[in-house]
Amino acid sequence: MTPVRRRNTLCIVITLALGGGVSAILPAQTPAPRRNIDSLLARMTLEEKFGQLNLPSVDNRPSAEQLELLRKGLVGGFLNLTGAAATRETQRVAVTESRLGIPLLLGYDVIHGYRTTFPIPLAEASTWDPAAVEATAHAAAREAAAAGVNWTFAPMVDVARDPRWGRISEGAGEDPYLGSVLAAARVHGFQGADLRAPDAVMATAKHFAAYGGAEGGRDYNTVDVSERTLREIYLPPFRAAVEAGAGSIMTSFNEIAGTPSHANRWLVTALLRGEWKFSGLVVSDWTGVEELRGHGVAGSRADAGKLALETGVDMDMVSRIYVDDLPALVRAGRIPVATVDAAVRRVLAAKAALGLFDDPYHGATVEREQAVLLAPEHRKLAREVAREAIVLLRNEAALLPLTSARHTVAVIGPLADDKSAALGSWPGHGDPRDAITPLEGIRARAGEGTKVVYAKGCGITDSAAAGIADAVALARGADIAVLVLGEAGDMSGEAASRSTLGLPGVQEQLLEAVQGTGTPVVLVVMSGRPLAVAWAAEHVPAIVQAWQLGVETGHALADVLFGDVSPSGKLPVTVPRSVGQVPIYYNHKNTGRPPSAEKYTSKYIDLPVSPLFPFGYGLSYTSFEYKDLKLSAPSITPNGKLRVSVTVTNTGAREGAEVAQLYLHDEVASVTRPVRALAGFQRVPLKAGESRTVDFEVGAKQLGLYDQNMKFTVEPGRVRVFVGGSSVGGLEAEFEVRR
Ligand code: NOJ
């Protein structure tokens, strides 16, 4: 069927349903012109308007009561309704059985995959590969859209400086620049070039804002950050998502300095809509509107609804306050109808942008769904990206890669054969049965001549240590022990904050006992957050940070352990030595008393201030050398551009990829500046012996700062440049900004 015929067919269906009034909402040409939204709005009752702002969640399928509300025009969309058959049937009810036949937004948390589970976002951030991140988002969108979902509540672009916070797993780590690049990549991946395409879903940048700044790393907790920290650290990835065209933004559960985000007019209206010119849809978080009562800024449901709507929160997820309580307030003259209309317009505009007035099913069919979910090309992509996401933290005496001389490999640990943990905290419709565990991957790769033996050793969080003896015996008889330790999938993500950052349960005991056998140990850390494995960093010869790599975990891990590919991941987040160092991040300020041997300086008396592993760090099986750092000019004007170039050479004997990183430091400014701030990066694949010159462009965006009046400006002065393979060390140069 051609697209034109398909549109005509749907016109007929909807025309019948609307009794001939369809021309008002079905444009001959898409996207729907504004007048269509205007005329639709003109025909809506107040209840139908609030219906468009109502976003309930289904429990698998809409209940009979929800379908009745839908028929009455009191539902604007559903979340958690998935599957081509169910979504088509529900859209059919919306377009044929409600008075105005307005199609539904169908939202779902497609966080790191829909059916094919890709690495968790923190792992994907370790690739420093925007193209890879865009590709997985696109594949996830393709699957979700085939299942009738037209809206994802992703990407989560919250900067996280505190690994106690479980949702660190869902974001791109601690850096605003890396976070911005990856936020844009994910938005492009989800939305593609045209939201109407059958493999596109509308993206939601969340949680607006500073959700990751929760005190004590405790989820949903109070945030109290300055406007400077907001603008410099937490907001840039949101801005990047907006600039990339994200269709929606989700407000965050937290308050900032006394104002909950769902009631923060400055944030949602002045900044997001006014300053950034965001014209898309703002959706509340789950019962975020109702929770304004818990925050203590609204005394009743109606007050909470009024506050949120007037703040600029267009859709009310789950609270059901807008649709139930607000029509009376409008009738009483307490909420201007224009405020309601503005929100409704944005919801209708999103539906029009998705092409739902032309095709409410958005191309989803049962056949397409069957063809696309867990498609071989998606699994292939999952494996490729998972390999890139693995970060090699330590490799003494080149213990890795494993060679054929290791005749017996003992695979040990509670995560070695755990299919659920491999999928992480939010696998969507991922099925653990499809996941390849580390043990399965190692067995599949080891081949003839290598014996793979396995012992669990202990549970993930258990206190029972009885299994350790068997694991030790197994390790004694092996040539190498691969210990797969860390966290279960649900130990990170939402409502999964931790107060400690070590290996849970008795896993540390297991590790130390196996290490005590003298058999060389490779520690594979599977976790949704960086773990403070300080003892291991000193005693265990090889450490691999494998995060939660999704459906292809075991294969990707084996690819790296056996050296089929060289590891190339770099940390998107600082790994602390101990939870007591948190928050710890590379782009900190210098203070007036930077740490030194002198007593009265900023440090601890019982722990170094440096991290266990720094941001940007990651080893390879080959080696890289940086040389010939050059600047295109010794000075630039505030609006000028400067080119920084460097030559990277693979000096080892095998192929590998390096992530070249550019950092800047403004030496003297009117406000304090970070000791370093990431200003550019590039993944550079290099054959053995190969060299490549890498160029970075530096301009106002990287050089600017918010002055004391919060005006973004580039100040004159000297800027230090660092280029290298991590946030520590590297080649250095300097240039001057001159008026
Ligand atoms: C609450 C979470 O904070 C948010 O990220 C998610 O999108 C919604 N629930 C909907 O599931």
Side-chain angles (χ1 to χ4, degrees):
M1 197 186 277
T2 65
V4 174
R5 267 195 62 201
R6 190 182 61 185
R7 185 148 59 223
N8 289 345
T9 313
L10 279 162
C11 279
I12 294 163
V13 171
I14 298 172
T15 304
L16 293 174
L18 298 181
V22 72
S23 57
I25 58 163
L26 284 180
Q29 306 284 322
T30 52
R34 167 178 287 207
R35 67 187 160 79
N36 292 324
I37 290 177
D38 287 346
S39 66
L40 183 54
L41 200 63
R43 295 164 55 216
M44 294 171 86
T45 64
L46 189 55
E47 275 69 20
E48 283 167 338
K49 288 179 183 176
F50 277 112
Q52 285 304 302
L53 311 184
N54 184 27
L55 181 65
S57 176
V58 303
D59 184 8
N60 194 28
R61 297 282 175 273
S63 64
E65 189 214 0
Q66 286 176 322
L67 286 174
E68 242 351 87
L69 288 177
L70 178 58
R71 290 190 182 96
K72 288 184 184 148
L74 299 182
V75 177
F78 284 116
L79 72 144
N80 294 329
L81 176 62
T82 58
T87 52
R88 284 184 68 93
E89 170 53 16
T90 311
Q91 287 285 22
R92 186 198 63 75
V93 173
V95 298
T96 64
E97 296 182 22
S98 71
R99 190 178 75 91
L100 295 172
I102 302 175
L104 293 160
L105 288 174
L106 294 176
Y108 191 64
D109 289 281
V110 186
I111 306 298
H112 52 110
Y114 178 81
R115 179 71 174 78
T116 307
T117 310
F118 295 101
I120 59 169
L122 188 63
E124 285 198 353
S126 306
T127 67
W128 296 56
D129 185 346
V133 167
E134 181 172 337
T136 63
H138 179 68
R142 186 169 175 241
E143 292 190 358
V149 171
N150 51 41
W151 185 19
T152 173
F153 303 123
M156 188 194 97
V157 303
D158 295 309
V159 167
R161 295 170 148 191
D162 188 336
R164 291 173 298 182
W165 189 55
R167 301 198 81 170
I168 195 170
S169 60
E170 288 175 54
E174 73 187 37
D175 184 64
Y177 182 86
L178 178 62
S180 298
V181 173
L182 298 186
R186 287 208 167 90
V187 170
H188 289 139
F190 286 132
Q191 298 195 161
D194 183 353
L195 267 179
R196 290 170 301 168
D199 56 1
V201 295
M202 183 167 75
T204 308
K206 68 185 190 186
H207 307 82
F208 197 56
Y211 182 39
E215 284 180 1
R218 188 155 54 84
D219 209 1
Y220 318 121
N221 204 10
T222 307
V223 174
D224 196 348
V225 290
S226 64
E227 186 179 339
R228 171 170 316 287
T229 302
L230 263 184
R231 288 190 183 269
E232 288 181 354
I233 305 297
Y234 290 104
L235 294 180
F238 285 98
R239 185 143 200 194
V242 167
E243 283 170 4
S248 63
I249 299 280
M250 184 187 291
T251 33
S252 58
F253 285 130
N254 57 285
E255 67 162 75
I256 302 171
T259 308
S261 299
H262 291 81
N264 195 332
R265 259 191 212 233
W266 172 77
L267 189 68
V268 179
T269 296
L271 183 105
L272 178 64
R273 295 207 185 281
E275 207 178 306
W276 295 0
K277 311 280 175 252
F278 175 68
S279 59
L281 172 66
V282 175
V283 62
S284 83
D285 202 342
W286 181 286
T287 64
V289 176
E290 160 82 35
E291 289 172 31
L292 290 177
R293 296 176 71 195
H295 278 289
V297 295
S300 64
R301 279 172 59 84
D303 283 352
K306 177 175 180 332
L307 198 52
L309 185 70
E310 291 185 341
T311 290
V313 177
D314 300 318
M315 278 193 112
D316 170 8
M317 186 194 285
V318 178
S319 297
R320 213 178 134 166
I321 290 181
Y322 283 12
V323 74
D324 285 349
D325 299 73
L326 298 194
L329 266 61
V330 175
R331 291 206 168 90
R334 289 187 53 208
I335 297 176
V337 77
T339 307
V340 186
D341 287 355
V344 176
R345 255 177 225 288
R346 291 192 280 256
V347 173
L348 296 177
K351 292 180 178 183
L354 281 160
L356 299 182
F357 290 107
D358 283 341
D359 175 8
Y361 312 113
H362 200 242
T365 61
V366 172
E367 297 72 39
R368 186 175 158 76
E369 181 181 32
Q370 275 164 2
V372 164
L373 299 199
L374 208 62
E377 63 272 25
H378 294 175
R379 279 202 88 121
K380 183 168 172 280
L381 176 66
R383 182 168 179 168
E384 285 162 5
V385 177
R387 286 166 168 172
E388 280 190 17
I390 293 168
V391 189
L392 180 64
L393 296 176
R394 190 170 145 97
N395 195 18
E396 293 302 291
L399 181 59
L400 289 174
L402 301 178
T403 61
S404 47
R406 311 281 182 195
H407 299 301
T408 304
V409 179
V411 180
I412 295 171
L415 290 156
D417 203 25
D418 185 321
K419 287 182 178 272
S420 305
L423 295 192
S425 69
W426 215 323
H429 279 282
D431 185 336
R433 286 170 298 186
D434 298 320
I436 307 295
T437 66
L439 177 64
E440 289 168 338
I442 290 170
R443 277 204 172 121
R445 171 60 180 79
E448 297 288 306
T450 302
K451 196 168 148 207
V452 178
V453 291
Y454 163 68
K456 188 171 174 190
C458 61
I460 297 172
T461 52
D462 295 359
S463 51
I468 294 182
D470 284 352
V472 165
L474 200 77
R476 276 217 175 91
D479 298 300
I480 192 156
V482 177
L483 264 86
V484 190
L485 307 180
E487 299 181 327
D490 62 3
M491 291 181 71
S492 59
E494 190 176 351
S497 296
R498 290 184 62 193
S499 66
T500 54
L501 292 175
L503 292 166
V506 292
Q507 295 184 64
E508 180 76 29
Q509 213 177 308
L510 172 66
L511 172 68
E512 294 183 18
V514 173
Q515 170 70 20
T517 62
T519 300
V521 171
V522 176
L523 168 62
V524 175
V525 181
M526 268 176 70
S527 57
R529 54 164 64 75
L531 295 185
V533 286
W535 186 89
E538 212 178 308
H539 298 95
V540 176
I543 306 178
V544 171
Q545 178 64 52
W547 310 113
Q548 291 147 341
L549 294 172
V551 71
E552 287 290 322
T553 289
H555 286 146
L557 195 60
D559 290 340
V560 168
L561 293 180
F562 287 92
D564 299 332
V565 289
S566 190
S568 58
K570 300 275 187 176
L571 291 172
V573 68
T574 302
V575 181
R577 293 173 188 275
S578 131
V579 72
Q581 288 182 315
V582 170
I584 179 170
Y585 43 87
Y586 85 95
N587 50 353
H588 59 84
K589 302 295 181 68
N590 202 35
T591 82
R593 294 184 176 197
S596 73
E598 168 63 33
K599 176 170 169 64
Y600 294 98
T601 57
S602 181
K603 57 182 191 284
Y604 300 106
I605 57 169
D606 55 357
L607 197 70
V609 278
S610 60
L612 195 59
F613 298 104
F615 175 84
Y617 170 84
L619 302 171
S620 167
Y621 295 152
T622 184
S623 51
F624 300 100
E625 188 185 70
Y626 288 75
K627 55 178 195 293
D628 298 334
L629 176 60
K630 289 191 190 121
L631 308 183
S632 57
S635 69
I636 57 166
T637 60
N639 289 323
K641 296 251 191 255
L642 183 92
R643 219 181 54 252
V644 177
S645 64
V646 73
T647 303
V648 187
T649 304
N650 180 345
T651 50
R654 47 176 301 155
E655 192 173 349
E658 168 70 329
V659 180
Q661 301 159 44
L662 166 76
Y663 295 88
L664 300 178
H665 171 58
D666 184 344
E667 293 180 355
V668 180
S670 61
V671 292
T672 61
R673 305 307 299 144
V675 291
R676 282 184 182 208
L678 185 69
F681 64 87
Q682 257 182 63
R683 263 184 83 83
V684 198
L686 291 170
K687 300 213 161 41
E690 195 188 355
S691 294
R692 193 173 298 176
T693 299
V694 179
D695 288 316
F696 303 99
E697 194 180 73
V698 174
K701 214 167 177 168
Q702 293 106 320
L703 293 171
L705 54 79
Y706 290 92
D707 68 12
Q708 293 192 0
N709 301 314
M710 285 297 143
K711 196 169 154 259
F712 191 75
T713 174
V714 179
E715 295 182 346
R718 284 208 309 272
V719 177
R720 244 188 126 65
V721 175
F722 309 85
V723 180
S726 100
S727 63
V728 173
L731 301 179
E732 295 189 28
E734 199 170 83
F735 67 94
E736 185 145 6
V737 179
R738 281 204 194 128
R739 282 207 209 286

